[in-house]
């Protein structure tokens, strides 16, 4: 059973924008935090941004001022608006859901290149 589904990745030029979406299954109850992580080739997975059920957000320093995370609790969905994208933002982006256990999505590729 697929619990978390990401969408919205793709190829974009430097300076462009993308919006990622992550929908968590209705079978997941008591969701606390939802967030986005990314992993570039040869690097460890790192936090990009997260948001709690109460709306408290956390961002990596590298994306502050460029990325915005938001959440629709009624739809169990979290979004990541990415603006002013840079080549170093290229990675596979993973959605993480914190409930009674952790859930990870399968990832969506974001490539920033001219």
């Amino acid at each position: 059973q697929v619990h978390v589904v990401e969408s919205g990745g793709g190829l974009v030029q430097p300076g462009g924008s993308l919006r990622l979406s992550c929908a968590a299954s209705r079978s997941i109850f008591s969701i606390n935090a939802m967030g986005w992580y990314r992993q570039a080739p040869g690097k460890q997975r790192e936090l990009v941004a997260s948001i709690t059920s109460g709306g408290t957000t956390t961002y990596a320093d590298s994306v502050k001022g460029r990325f915005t995370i938001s959440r629709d609790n009624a739809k169990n969905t979290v979004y990541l608006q990415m603006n002013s994208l840079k080549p170093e933002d290229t990675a596979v982006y993973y959605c993480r859901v914190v409930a009674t256990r952790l859930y990870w999505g399968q990832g969506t590729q974001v490539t920033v290149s001219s």
Side-chain angles (χ1 to χ4, degrees):
Q1 181 180 2
V2 178
H3 294 284
V4 179
V5 178
E6 302 112 330
S7 61
L11 172 64
V12 64
Q13 293 186 341
S17 298
L18 282 175
R19 188 188 193 216
L20 305 183
S21 297
C22 168
S25 168
R26 293 285 187 174
S27 66
I28 301 176
F29 297 100
S30 302
I31 293 178
N32 184 0
M34 300 180 76
W36 292 93
Y37 285 68
R38 67 186 181 188
Q39 187 166 19
K43 295 188 176 181
Q44 290 187 328
R45 192 173 296 190
E46 62 176 3
L47 171 69
V48 177
S50 66
I51 184 168
T52 67
S53 58
T56 300
T57 57
T58 301
Y59 293 94
D61 287 343
S62 59
V63 307
K64 284 180 181 176
R66 300 188 298 122
F67 291 10
T68 303
I69 190 169
S70 60
R71 177 171 171 174
D72 186 334
N73 289 332
K75 295 182 178 180
N76 279 8
T77 299
V78 64
Y79 307 95
L80 185 68
Q81 178 65 43
M82 305 186 294
N83 299 328
S84 302
L85 282 160
K86 304 175 180 179
E88 51 263 44
D89 294 317
T90 295
V92 178
Y93 284 69
Y94 297 91
C95 179
R96 188 182 84 153
V97 176
V98 181
T100 55
R101 51 158 279 200
L102 283 177
Y103 298 85
W104 287 94
Q106 293 193 334
T108 184
Q109 177 69 48
V110 171
T111 302
V112 185
S113 175
S114 55

